[in-house]
Amino acid sequence: MQRAFGDGPLRGAIEPLRHALAVRAPALLHGDLPSWRAALQDLPILHAPALRADGAVVTGTSSRSPEREADGCGGSRAVLHRLGPWRKGPFQLDGVDIDAEWRADRKWDRLAPHLAPLDGRRVLDVGSGSGYHLWRMHAAGAAAVLGIEPMLLFDTQFRAVARYAPFSAVQQLPLRLQDLAGSRLSFDTVFSMGVLYHAKQPLDHLAQLGALLRPGGQLVLDTLVLPDIDPTPGLEFACEGASESASGVDRVMALPGRYAGMRNIDQLPSLARLHRWLASSGFTAMRSVSMARTGIGEQRATAWSGKRSLADVLMPDDPTRTLEGHPAPCRAIMICERPVTV
Protein backbone atom coordinates (compact mmCIF):
# COMPACT_ATOMS: atom_id res chain seq x y z
CA MET A 1 0.00 0.00 0.00
CA GLN A 2 1.54 3.29 -1.08
CA ARG A 3 0.78 6.47 0.83
CA ALA A 4 0.38 9.43 -1.50
CA PHE A 5 3.02 12.09 -1.04
CA GLY A 6 1.52 15.21 0.50
CA ASP A 7 -2.03 13.95 0.97
CA GLY A 8 -4.27 14.93 3.84
CA PRO A 9 -3.67 17.44 6.62
CA LEU A 10 0.04 17.79 5.84
CA ARG A 11 -0.33 18.64 2.17
CA GLY A 12 0.31 22.35 2.73
CA ALA A 13 3.40 21.65 4.86
CA ILE A 14 4.94 19.05 2.58
CA GLU A 15 4.34 20.71 -0.78
CA PRO A 16 7.16 23.32 -0.30
CA LEU A 17 9.61 20.47 0.45
CA ARG A 18 9.37 18.86 -2.97
CA HIS A 19 12.33 20.96 -4.14
CA ALA A 20 14.41 19.97 -1.10
CA LEU A 21 13.74 16.30 -1.85
CA ALA A 22 14.72 16.78 -5.48
CA VAL A 23 17.98 18.48 -4.49
CA ARG A 24 18.84 15.72 -2.03
CA ALA A 25 17.88 12.91 -4.41
CA PRO A 26 21.49 11.96 -5.33
CA ALA A 27 22.25 11.35 -1.65
CA LEU A 28 19.29 8.97 -1.43
CA LEU A 29 20.88 6.34 -3.68
CA HIS A 30 22.02 4.06 -0.86
CA GLY A 31 23.43 0.73 -2.05
CA ASP A 32 21.02 -1.27 0.14
CA LEU A 33 17.95 0.74 -0.82
CA PRO A 34 16.76 -1.75 -3.49
CA SER A 35 16.79 -4.61 -0.95
CA TRP A 36 14.92 -2.48 1.60
CA ARG A 37 12.32 -1.55 -0.99
CA ALA A 38 12.00 -5.21 -1.92
CA ALA A 39 11.34 -6.04 1.74
CA LEU A 40 8.52 -3.49 1.79
CA GLN A 41 6.97 -5.13 -1.24
CA ASP A 42 7.24 -8.54 0.43
CA LEU A 43 5.19 -7.54 3.46
CA PRO A 44 1.70 -9.13 3.47
CA ILE A 45 -0.98 -7.62 1.31
CA LEU A 46 -3.17 -5.39 3.45
CA HIS A 47 -6.92 -5.28 2.95
CA ALA A 48 -8.03 -3.62 6.18
CA PRO A 49 -5.01 -2.01 7.82
CA ALA A 50 -5.31 -0.66 11.35
CA LEU A 51 -2.71 0.86 13.63
CA ARG A 52 -3.10 2.16 17.16
CA ALA A 53 -0.70 3.72 19.64
CA ASP A 54 -2.74 3.89 22.81
CA GLY A 55 -0.20 2.07 24.95
CA ALA A 56 3.51 1.42 25.16
CA VAL A 57 3.53 -0.57 21.92
CA VAL A 58 2.57 0.77 18.51
CA THR A 59 0.44 -2.08 17.18
CA GLY A 60 -0.48 -2.76 13.56
CA THR A 61 -2.64 -5.55 12.15
CA SER A 62 -3.57 -6.61 8.64
CA SER A 63 -6.19 -8.71 6.96
CA ARG A 64 -4.14 -11.27 5.03
CA SER A 65 -4.92 -12.39 1.54
CA PRO A 66 -5.68 -16.15 1.32
CA GLU A 67 -2.44 -16.87 -0.52
CA ARG A 68 -0.39 -15.39 2.37
CA GLU A 69 -2.43 -16.98 5.17
CA ALA A 70 -0.26 -20.09 5.25
CA ASP A 71 2.81 -17.98 6.09
CA GLY A 72 1.56 -17.26 9.61
CA CYS A 73 3.52 -14.52 11.35
CA GLY A 74 6.76 -16.20 10.29
CA GLY A 75 6.62 -14.58 6.87
CA SER A 76 6.21 -11.10 8.28
CA ARG A 77 8.90 -11.75 10.90
CA ALA A 78 11.49 -12.67 8.28
CA VAL A 79 10.67 -9.63 6.15
CA LEU A 80 10.81 -7.23 9.09
CA HIS A 81 14.18 -8.66 10.14
CA ARG A 82 15.46 -7.75 6.69
CA LEU A 83 14.81 -4.12 7.65
CA GLY A 84 16.97 -4.31 10.78
CA PRO A 85 18.62 -3.17 12.89
CA TRP A 86 15.60 -1.64 14.63
CA ARG A 87 16.77 1.12 16.98
CA LYS A 88 13.49 2.65 18.22
CA GLY A 89 10.34 0.85 19.31
CA PRO A 90 8.59 -1.22 20.52
CA PHE A 91 6.28 -2.22 17.69
CA GLN A 92 3.92 -5.11 17.21
CA LEU A 93 3.25 -5.53 13.51
CA ASP A 94 1.03 -8.26 12.13
CA GLY A 95 1.53 -10.36 15.25
CA VAL A 96 5.31 -9.86 15.33
CA ASP A 97 6.86 -8.21 18.40
CA ILE A 98 9.74 -5.93 17.36
CA ASP A 99 11.81 -5.47 20.50
CA ALA A 100 13.98 -2.57 19.35
CA GLU A 101 17.23 -1.49 20.99
CA TRP A 102 15.61 1.59 22.58
CA ARG A 103 12.46 1.39 24.68
CA ALA A 104 11.28 4.69 23.24
CA ASP A 105 8.03 4.38 25.16
CA ARG A 106 9.93 5.14 28.37
CA LYS A 107 11.12 8.48 27.01
CA TRP A 108 7.58 9.28 25.95
CA ASP A 109 6.30 8.47 29.43
CA ARG A 110 8.84 10.90 30.92
CA LEU A 111 8.01 13.83 28.68
CA ALA A 112 4.29 13.43 27.91
CA PRO A 113 2.97 14.81 31.24
CA HIS A 114 4.89 18.05 30.68
CA LEU A 115 3.79 18.79 27.11
CA ALA A 116 1.35 21.46 26.13
CA PRO A 117 -1.71 19.51 24.93
CA LEU A 118 -1.12 18.25 21.40
CA ASP A 119 -4.82 18.32 20.49
CA GLY A 120 -5.20 19.91 17.07
CA ARG A 121 -1.51 20.85 16.82
CA ARG A 122 0.85 20.69 13.86
CA VAL A 123 3.94 18.85 15.07
CA LEU A 124 7.46 18.35 13.69
CA ASP A 125 9.84 15.63 14.92
CA VAL A 126 13.47 16.16 13.84
CA GLY A 127 15.43 12.91 13.53
CA SER A 128 12.31 10.79 13.86
CA GLY A 129 14.01 7.44 13.15
CA SER A 130 11.56 4.60 12.60
CA GLY A 131 8.74 6.97 13.54
CA TYR A 132 7.75 5.46 16.88
CA HIS A 133 7.12 8.83 18.50
CA LEU A 134 5.20 10.11 15.46
CA TRP A 135 2.46 7.61 16.16
CA ARG A 136 2.45 8.47 19.87
CA MET A 137 2.10 12.17 18.99
CA HIS A 138 -0.81 11.43 16.69
CA ALA A 139 -2.48 9.26 19.34
CA ALA A 140 -2.11 12.18 21.78
CA GLY A 141 -4.32 14.29 19.52
CA ALA A 142 -1.99 16.05 17.08
CA ALA A 143 -3.83 17.02 13.90
CA ALA A 144 -0.76 16.64 11.67
CA VAL A 145 2.64 15.11 12.43
CA LEU A 146 5.69 15.39 10.17
CA GLY A 147 8.95 13.57 10.83
CA ILE A 148 12.24 14.16 9.05
CA GLU A 149 14.84 11.37 9.06
CA PRO A 150 17.88 11.40 6.72
CA MET A 151 18.90 7.78 7.44
CA LEU A 152 17.23 5.79 4.68
CA LEU A 153 17.04 2.52 6.62
CA PHE A 154 15.09 4.18 9.42
CA ASP A 155 12.88 5.99 6.91
CA THR A 156 12.14 2.63 5.28
CA GLN A 157 11.21 1.19 8.67
CA PHE A 158 8.72 4.03 9.08
CA ARG A 159 7.22 3.14 5.72
CA ALA A 160 6.89 -0.49 6.80
CA VAL A 161 4.95 0.58 9.91
CA ALA A 162 2.92 3.08 7.86
CA ARG A 163 1.52 0.23 5.76
CA TYR A 164 -0.66 -0.51 8.77
CA ALA A 165 -1.87 3.09 9.12
CA PRO A 166 -5.12 4.02 7.37
CA PHE A 167 -4.65 7.76 7.90
CA SER A 168 -2.40 10.34 6.26
CA ALA A 169 -2.01 12.79 9.16
CA VAL A 170 1.40 11.22 9.92
CA GLN A 171 4.16 11.58 7.33
CA GLN A 172 7.93 11.26 7.25
CA LEU A 173 10.43 12.54 4.70
CA PRO A 174 14.13 11.61 4.23
CA LEU A 175 15.35 15.15 4.89
CA ARG A 176 17.78 16.90 7.24
CA LEU A 177 16.90 19.87 9.41
CA GLN A 178 18.86 22.24 7.16
CA ASP A 179 16.75 21.11 4.20
CA LEU A 180 13.79 22.91 5.78
CA ALA A 181 15.58 26.26 5.85
CA GLY A 182 13.67 28.90 3.95
CA SER A 183 10.55 26.73 3.70
CA ARG A 184 8.46 29.14 5.83
CA LEU A 185 6.93 26.18 7.61
CA SER A 186 5.46 26.83 11.04
CA PHE A 187 4.65 24.24 13.69
CA ASP A 188 2.95 24.44 17.08
CA THR A 189 5.34 21.91 18.66
CA VAL A 190 8.81 20.88 17.51
CA PHE A 191 10.62 17.86 18.93
CA SER A 192 14.39 17.36 18.68
CA MET A 193 15.26 14.17 20.50
CA GLY A 194 18.73 12.68 20.32
CA VAL A 195 20.00 15.08 17.65
CA LEU A 196 21.62 18.14 19.27
CA TYR A 197 24.74 16.31 20.48
CA HIS A 198 25.47 15.23 16.90
CA ALA A 199 25.41 18.86 15.66
CA LYS A 200 28.84 20.41 15.16
CA GLN A 201 27.25 23.85 15.65
CA PRO A 202 24.59 23.38 18.38
CA LEU A 203 23.55 27.04 18.33
CA ASP A 204 22.80 26.76 14.61
CA HIS A 205 20.67 23.67 15.32
CA LEU A 206 18.69 25.54 17.98
CA ALA A 207 18.24 28.56 15.71
CA GLN A 208 16.88 26.31 12.95
CA LEU A 209 14.44 24.71 15.38
CA GLY A 210 13.26 28.14 16.55
CA ALA A 211 12.66 29.29 12.99
CA LEU A 212 10.20 26.41 12.50
CA LEU A 213 8.15 27.27 15.58
CA ARG A 214 5.25 29.68 15.56
CA PRO A 215 5.43 32.44 18.19
CA GLY A 216 4.35 30.86 21.46
CA GLY A 217 5.11 27.37 20.11
CA GLN A 218 6.82 24.75 22.23
CA LEU A 219 10.23 23.11 21.75
CA VAL A 220 10.89 19.69 23.27
CA LEU A 221 14.63 19.02 23.40
CA ASP A 222 16.11 15.70 24.49
CA THR A 223 19.90 15.56 24.50
CA LEU A 224 22.98 14.19 26.23
CA VAL A 225 24.41 16.37 28.99
CA LEU A 226 27.15 16.15 31.60
CA PRO A 227 25.78 14.70 34.83
CA ASP A 228 25.95 16.78 38.00
CA ILE A 229 28.82 14.81 39.49
CA ASP A 230 30.26 17.67 41.58
CA PRO A 231 28.46 17.67 44.97
CA THR A 232 29.51 21.25 45.75
CA PRO A 233 27.41 24.15 44.47
CA GLY A 234 28.69 25.43 41.16
CA LEU A 235 27.97 28.50 39.14
CA GLU A 236 24.43 29.77 39.53
CA PHE A 237 23.01 30.55 36.11
CA ALA A 238 19.54 32.01 35.68
CA CYS A 239 18.02 32.58 32.25
CA GLU A 240 15.95 35.69 31.77
CA GLY A 241 12.37 34.69 31.15
CA ALA A 242 12.87 31.11 32.29
CA SER A 243 10.38 29.45 34.61
CA GLU A 244 13.26 28.01 36.58
CA SER A 245 17.02 28.44 36.68
CA ALA A 246 19.79 25.97 36.03
CA SER A 247 22.03 25.48 39.00
CA GLY A 248 25.32 23.75 38.38
CA VAL A 249 28.69 24.05 36.74
CA ASP A 250 28.49 26.00 33.50
CA ARG A 251 30.89 24.10 31.26
CA VAL A 252 31.35 22.05 28.12
CA MET A 253 33.45 18.90 27.82
CA ALA A 254 35.27 18.55 24.50
CA LEU A 255 35.33 15.06 23.00
CA PRO A 256 38.16 14.81 20.46
CA GLY A 257 37.84 11.02 20.11
CA ARG A 258 35.00 8.60 20.69
CA TYR A 259 32.26 8.94 23.26
CA ALA A 260 30.43 5.76 24.29
CA GLY A 261 31.73 4.21 21.10
CA MET A 262 30.37 7.04 18.91
CA ARG A 263 32.61 9.15 16.69
CA ASN A 264 30.15 11.95 15.85
CA ILE A 265 29.87 13.71 19.22
CA ASP A 266 32.19 16.70 19.61
CA GLN A 267 31.09 18.07 22.98
CA LEU A 268 28.78 17.61 25.93
CA PRO A 269 27.30 20.60 27.78
CA SER A 270 26.34 20.79 31.40
CA LEU A 271 22.69 21.54 32.11
CA ALA A 272 23.64 25.14 32.93
CA ARG A 273 25.40 25.51 29.57
CA LEU A 274 22.39 24.02 27.79
CA HIS A 275 20.24 26.69 29.46
CA ARG A 276 22.69 29.32 28.22
CA TRP A 277 22.51 28.00 24.66
CA LEU A 278 18.71 28.05 24.69
CA ALA A 279 18.58 31.55 26.15
CA SER A 280 21.03 32.92 23.60
CA SER A 281 18.93 31.29 20.85
CA GLY A 282 15.91 33.30 21.97
CA PHE A 283 13.92 30.65 23.83
CA THR A 284 12.04 31.45 27.03
CA ALA A 285 10.02 29.64 29.72
CA MET A 286 12.76 27.01 29.95
CA ARG A 287 12.40 24.09 32.30
CA SER A 288 14.18 20.78 32.64
CA VAL A 289 11.60 18.03 33.14
CA SER A 290 13.94 15.03 33.27
CA MET A 291 17.62 14.33 33.80
CA ALA A 292 18.91 10.81 34.34
CA ARG A 293 21.60 8.38 33.29
CA THR A 294 20.50 6.05 30.52
CA GLY A 295 19.92 2.56 31.92
CA ILE A 296 20.45 -0.81 30.28
CA GLY A 297 16.75 -1.49 30.71
CA GLU A 298 16.02 1.34 28.27
CA GLN A 299 18.85 0.76 25.77
CA ARG A 300 20.05 -2.79 25.26
CA ALA A 301 20.93 -5.34 22.60
CA THR A 302 18.05 -7.47 21.35
CA ALA A 303 17.45 -9.97 18.57
CA TRP A 304 16.19 -7.06 16.48
CA SER A 305 18.96 -4.53 17.13
CA GLY A 306 22.34 -6.19 16.70
CA LYS A 307 24.95 -7.50 19.13
CA ARG A 308 26.26 -4.30 20.76
CA SER A 309 24.49 -1.67 22.81
CA LEU A 310 24.92 0.48 25.92
CA ALA A 311 26.32 -2.26 28.18
CA ASP A 312 29.17 -2.83 25.73
CA VAL A 313 30.45 0.77 25.91
CA LEU A 314 30.48 1.11 29.71
CA MET A 315 33.30 0.05 32.01
CA PRO A 316 32.46 -3.43 33.36
CA ASP A 317 33.47 -2.50 36.92
CA ASP A 318 32.04 1.04 36.86
CA PRO A 319 28.89 1.60 34.77
CA THR A 320 29.00 5.32 35.57
CA ARG A 321 31.94 5.68 33.14
CA THR A 322 32.32 4.89 29.45
CA LEU A 323 35.15 2.74 28.12
CA GLU A 324 36.89 5.98 27.13
CA GLY A 325 36.75 7.15 30.76
CA HIS A 326 34.01 9.76 30.28
CA PRO A 327 30.82 10.08 32.34
CA ALA A 328 28.22 7.55 31.21
CA PRO A 329 25.40 8.85 28.98
CA CYS A 330 23.01 11.11 30.85
CA ARG A 331 19.98 12.57 29.09
CA ALA A 332 18.06 15.73 29.85
CA ILE A 333 14.67 16.76 28.50
CA MET A 334 14.16 20.50 28.21
CA ILE A 335 10.89 22.20 27.33
CA CYS A 336 10.82 25.85 26.29
CA GLU A 337 8.97 28.28 24.05
CA ARG A 338 9.54 30.65 21.20
CA PRO A 339 8.47 34.01 22.62
CA VAL A 340 5.44 35.79 21.27
CA THR A 341 6.59 38.95 19.50
CA VAL A 342 4.83 42.15 20.49
Side-chain angles (χ1 to χ4, degrees):
M1 181 180 68
Q2 295 292 326
R3 288 151 56 86
F5 177 74
D7 281 355
L10 280 166
R11 184 177 183 84
I14 291 178
E15 187 67 27
L17 301 179
R18 287 183 183 271
H19 177 69
L21 277 171
V23 170
R24 193 162 184 264
L28 301 180
L29 300 177
H30 191 285
D32 291 327
L33 188 57
S35 64
W36 297 335
R37 286 176 171 170
L40 283 181
Q41 294 303 315
D42 288 343
L43 283 172
I45 298 171
L46 308 180
H47 295 296
L51 183 145
R52 68 181 188 275
D54 52 1
V57 180
V58 174
T59 303
T61 57
S62 70
S63 176
R64 293 172 177 270
S65 63
E67 62 269 23
R68 301 301 294 268
E69 195 69 42
D71 287 349
C73 68
S76 297
R77 183 183 304 276
V79 172
L80 292 167
H81 265 295
R82 286 159 56 190
L83 293 175
W86 289 79
R87 301 300 185 197
K88 302 286 180 66
F91 294 103
Q92 186 181 80
L93 301 179
D94 216 14
V96 178
D97 291 318
I98 300 177
D99 187 16
E101 177 182 10
W102 278 90
R103 287 289 304 270
D105 55 309
R106 297 189 180 186
K107 181 183 295 184
W108 182 258
D109 289 343
R110 287 195 297 270
L111 66 88
H114 306 283
L115 296 175
L118 294 181
D119 294 308
R121 289 201 167 205
R122 287 161 56 95
V123 176
L124 173 68
D125 187 10
V126 177
S128 43
S130 60
Y132 174 86
H133 287 119
L134 302 181
W135 308 111
R136 301 302 301 267
M137 295 165 192
H138 181 264
V145 183
L146 174 63
I148 56 173
E149 174 50 60
M151 300 294 289
L152 292 185
L153 173 59
F154 301 152
D155 184 63
T156 307
Q157 291 171 354
F158 165 80
R159 298 184 189 287
V161 178
R163 290 170 65 91
Y164 300 87
F167 40 79
S168 58
V170 178
Q171 298 274 351
Q172 180 167 285
L173 297 175
L175 294 175
R176 304 159 300 177
L177 179 59
Q178 56 265 39
D179 294 325
L180 273 60
S183 63
R184 298 185 180 180
L185 295 175
S186 181
F187 296 89
D188 302 300
T189 307
V190 171
F191 291 80
S192 172
M193 298 188 288
V195 181
L196 181 66
Y197 49 85
H198 293 306
K200 291 187 177 297
Q201 301 295 332
L203 292 180
D204 289 347
H205 180 83
L206 294 175
Q208 292 165 352
L209 295 174
L212 293 165
L213 270 175
R214 65 162 175 80
Q218 188 173 79
L219 171 66
V220 182
L221 180 71
D222 165 82
T223 189
L224 291 174
V225 295
L226 291 172
D228 290 333
I229 56 177
D230 185 353
T232 61
L235 174 67
E236 292 286 339
F237 180 71
C239 304
E240 183 178 354
S243 60
E244 66 178 47
S245 64
S247 176
V249 179
D250 179 14
R251 64 191 179 111
V252 170
M253 183 175 71
L255 298 166
R258 289 175 178 258
Y259 173 73
M262 296 179 283
R263 296 180 183 273
N264 56 349
I265 300 180
D266 294 328
Q267 57 184 323
L268 287 182
S270 64
L271 190 61
R273 179 61 61 92
L274 184 57
H275 270 256
R276 183 185 294 277
W277 285 351
L278 288 165
S280 65
S281 300
F283 291 101
T284 60
M286 286 170 283
R287 53 198 174 100
S288 55
V289 301
S290 173
M291 182 174 175
R293 294 186 190 275
T294 304
I296 58 175
E298 185 169 353
Q299 184 189 9
R300 70 276 188 270
T302 73
W304 290 88
S305 70
K307 296 180 179 179
R308 289 177 58 82
S309 188
L310 177 63
D312 301 290
V313 299
L314 301 179
M315 288 188 175
D317 58 345
D318 183 5
T320 68
R321 315 295 294 186
T322 69
L323 291 177
E324 302 90 356
H326 303 308
C330 178
R331 307 187 79 93
I333 299 177
M334 300 288 302
I335 294 181
C336 51
E337 297 178 3
R338 179 184 174 185
V340 177
T341 56
V342 179

